[in-house]
Every structure is written in C-alpha cells, then in structure tokens.
Amino acid sequence: MTGTAALPTRTDVAVVGAGPTGLALAVTLAEAGVDFVLLDRQAEGANTSRAAVVHARTLEVLDELDPSGDLSGELVGRGVRVTRFRIRDGARPLAAVDFDGLPTAHPYALMVPQYETEAVLLERLRALGGDVHRPYEVTSVTQDADGVTLTTATGETLRAAHAVGADGMHSVVREAAGIAFEGSAYAESFVLADVVMDWAPGPHEVTLAFGTAGPTVVAPLPGGHYRIVAAVAEAPAEPDLAFVRTLMDERVPGQAAVRELVWSSRFRIHHRVADRYRAGRLLLAGDAAHVHSPAGGQGMNTGIQDGYALGRALATGDLDGYEARRRPVARRVVALTHRMTRAATTRNPVLRAARNALLPLLARVPALRDRLAAELAELTYR
C-alpha cells in the first residue's frame, strides 16, 4: 500500500480521495483488519492550511482510533488550544461561547493547519502498514452485482467489493452512483488568508466580527500566525497583502496590524447534502456527501467523523446504519452553518440591529451558551 508501489488489481474497499476523510476511513479500516486501497489524484498532499480547527468530538474519535492517546496527543502538540469563541460587532464584544466547561477530555477548539491533521493521520496509517497510492486519478467507476471496477486516467483498473467517494464536492464516485447533490451557492465570495499580525484581542480566542461589509473570522494558528476568513462581495483571485490590510482596517478598525501575508485564496461556498450516502456498492463521505459554509469550522470535522463511522460500518457490515446515522448529522450541520452565515451576512439594517441587541441577551443564558458550545464542538453528534 505504498505511494510508489504498483496499484493492486483487487481489494475489499477502494477509497477515492486521501484528504482527512479518506485518511480517517483508511485508518479505521486498517485498525479493523479490512483490506483497502486508498488512492489520490495529487502527486503529494497539499501543504496549505485550509481547514484550521479540530473540534472536541473529532479528537474523541482519534482517541477511539488509538486509545493510547498518542494520535490525538500528537495533533494537540502541533496546534493551539482555544477555549473561547467571541462574537463582535466590529471591535465591540456582543457574546462569548466558552468550551472549557464541556463534558469531554478535550474542552477546547484545537487550531491547527489541515496539513498537520493529514500528516498525523498519515503517520498513523503507515504505522498500521498502510499508505496512499499517488497519483492515481479515477476517471470511471462502474458497479455490478459482484463488485466495483475503478479505472484510472492512465488505464489501470482496480476491482473492489465496495468503493467510497471521499473525493470532494465534484466527486467522481457520487456522479457514477447517480446520487443527486441538492442545494445552492452563496452569493458572496470568501477570502481566506494566513497572516502574521498584531491582533488586539490576542491569541486566546476565535473572533467572529460582524460588519456592514460582511463577517470576518480571525483565529490563532501555531507559530504566531492568524487565520482570516472574510465574506467579500467580489474578492480578487489571489488577495495580496495590501488587500488584506485594507480589509482588516475596514472590518475591525484599530484592532489589526497585518505585517506579513503567508498564504491566501478566494473561494465560493455552497450548501448541499447528497440525497443518499449509498447506492449499492458505492458510498459517500465528507465533502462528496455534504458541503456548507465554513461558519463554525464544521466541514473537515464532520468528514473525519464520517470516515470513522463508515470504516466501522464496513468492518461490521452495517452499511445501511451508516447513512441512517450520518446523513441527519450533515443536514443539521448544514442548517446550523447556513443560519450562522445568513445572520452574519445580512445587509438589512433592521435585522442587524435586532441581531446585535439580541445576542448579548441570549449569551447571558447559561443553558443556551452550553448548548451552542456543544453544538460547535460537535459533541451532540456522538
């Protein structure tokens, strides 16, 4: 199962896509002794930070995959633990949600670049004797009564009992399965930037700042870096340092002095859930099954938990139970992040005023604060 070895011709489970979802699935299968092949079309894993938060429930899943605690411990050692999520209107605090009272061994949000999460999962996979086959782009997937045949762009074929699409929003496996992906796109584009800056609130909280031009999220990362995610009507394809500085000066005046741009990107987001997670021998997980707003940092976490749940289902034969457990979670996550995004992006001055008046009142109710903390940490999806 090494990345440089020839692709096998047969396996029990073919996993297409070696992002966090595919890696979590592969680790689960390896732990259970299920034969699998994990393929990815990229020659190597991405080294950009992309998803940057690992929530408590995901860390619990890592503990279930490795009860020694080494897996979660390695990841925690690479990240920054944050115990507060604060909502502001510009610089003015409106509400705070604390994670340090959550009923879990991990009462915090772990801020860590996605490539570190992938690296830790890959190390665990290799320790179990597995690896990723690269670069193999799957171009066709066909199933029959006895199995699935996957064909690559270079003509290799792989025969499997089941195939899993962990290959993202434009999933080849989902298209081959004929599964609809209902939903729509948000009008706004989003800027993502990792920066070095002086940030007045400091590195001990994740900030969601409302503003007339749109919401802005600021979160600490290891090495003194910060992640910025901002909704922008029309962002440039590659936001530069000057653009990010102007953005922060407008959104959170007097709070940020951006000194260096480490990495930036522009993206558009959708909110969609696959109609089904299974069509015969084809199954979906992660972004192939659900995509949604980055509000709350739920995407990668939900995908890793999909991978773990599907791995257990493949090991036990309870494939129908996988969809029954995980698709309602995706629908709930999409609904939550959609409400958060709509509340944060509203341009209506009456609605904005009502939102800003209501949030401080709701934040004073302990039960509501605790419920939102558990929802963001995904502990409600155990």
Side-chain angles (χ1 to χ4, degrees):
M1 293 185 204
T2 62
T4 56
L7 192 68
T9 57
R10 288 187 170 273
T11 190
D12 288 339
V13 181
V15 182
V16 184
T21 300
L23 286 166
L25 170 56
V27 170
T28 309
L29 293 172
E31 293 271 12
V34 177
D35 189 59
F36 68 92
V37 171
L38 175 60
L39 311 89
D40 197 275
R41 63 187 178 87
Q42 301 292 343
E44 59 182 25
N47 63 359
T48 50
S49 58
R50 292 170 292 156
V53 59
V54 178
H55 285 301
R57 177 55 195 157
T58 303
L59 292 168
E60 290 181 347
V61 164
L62 299 186
D63 287 337
E64 290 170 29
L65 282 172
D66 181 10
S68 72
D70 290 348
L71 186 55
S72 65
E74 177 65 27
L75 187 58
V76 170
R78 300 185 185 202
V80 175
R81 287 186 276 190
V82 177
T83 58
R84 172 163 289 186
F85 175 71
R86 189 184 292 279
I87 302 172
R88 300 173 181 270
D89 182 33
R92 180 169 65 98
L94 294 177
V97 177
D98 294 316
F99 299 121
D100 51 4
L102 289 171
T104 174
H106 304 282
Y108 48 84
L110 181 69
M111 304 307 304
V112 62
Q114 181 173 326
Y115 63 82
E116 296 283 16
T117 302
E118 292 182 3
V120 167
L121 287 167
L122 182 58
E123 286 174 11
R124 179 62 180 167
L125 181 60
R126 286 174 172 164
L128 293 167
D131 211 327
V132 184
H133 288 274
R134 301 178 182 275
Y136 288 99
E137 181 180 1
V138 175
T139 54
S140 76
V141 181
T142 57
Q143 65 172 320
D144 52 51
D146 301 317
V148 181
T149 301
L150 297 89
T151 305
T152 71
T154 45
E156 294 93 345
T157 59
L158 172 63
R159 184 74 173 163
H162 293 92
V164 177
D167 49 345
M169 179 175 164
H170 303 290
S171 171
V172 172
V173 177
R174 190 187 63 244
E175 290 179 10
I179 297 175
F181 203 35
E182 299 297 334
S184 61
Y186 290 98
E188 300 86 1
S189 59
F190 284 76
V191 167
L192 188 154
D194 290 352
V195 303
V196 178
M197 70 177 177
D198 299 318
W199 173 238
H204 305 298
E205 68 173 51
V206 174
T207 297
L208 167 60
F210 296 142
T212 54
T216 305
V217 174
V218 179
L221 288 175
H225 292 181
Y226 287 89
R227 157 67 52 87
I228 298 168
V229 182
V232 180
E234 283 299 331
E238 295 182 5
D240 60 13
L241 178 60
F243 180 88
V244 176
R245 279 176 170 164
T246 300
L247 180 79
M248 296 302 284
D249 287 343
E250 291 174 349
R251 302 290 181 91
V252 283
Q255 301 292 294
V258 182
R259 292 187 276 119
E260 180 185 344
L261 179 64
V262 179
W263 177 72
S264 70
S265 179
R266 176 192 67 185
F267 61 98
R268 292 189 181 276
I269 58 175
H270 297 243
H271 48 106
R272 302 179 186 273
V273 179
D275 280 3
R276 293 174 290 153
Y277 277 22
R278 180 187 182 191
R281 295 177 176 272
L282 305 180
L283 299 118
L284 305 177
D287 286 357
H290 49 79
V291 292
H292 42 81
S293 163
Q298 307 290 294
M300 181 185 71
N301 290 272
T302 308
I304 289 173
Q305 293 165 45
D306 284 348
Y308 174 64
L310 180 52
R312 296 304 308 153
L314 285 161
T316 62
D318 183 22
L319 294 182
D320 289 335
Y322 164 66
E323 177 176 328
R325 285 189 296 273
R326 295 303 301 172
R327 191 169 181 273
V329 169
R331 289 175 60 84
R332 188 164 162 178
V333 168
V334 169
L336 171 67
T337 57
H338 183 61
R339 288 195 301 270
M340 291 176 68
T341 302
R342 288 276 66 93
T345 55
T346 181
R347 300 289 199 272
N348 184 307
V350 175
L351 292 178
R352 285 195 350 252
R355 174 198 67 195
N356 293 354
L358 189 60
L359 274 172
L361 298 176
L362 295 176
R364 294 193 189 108
V365 181
L368 291 177
R369 284 201 314 269
D370 293 347
R371 180 178 173 183
L372 181 55
E375 194 87 8
L376 289 172
E378 300 203 347
L379 296 179
T380 51
Y381 308 141
R382 280 171 169 151

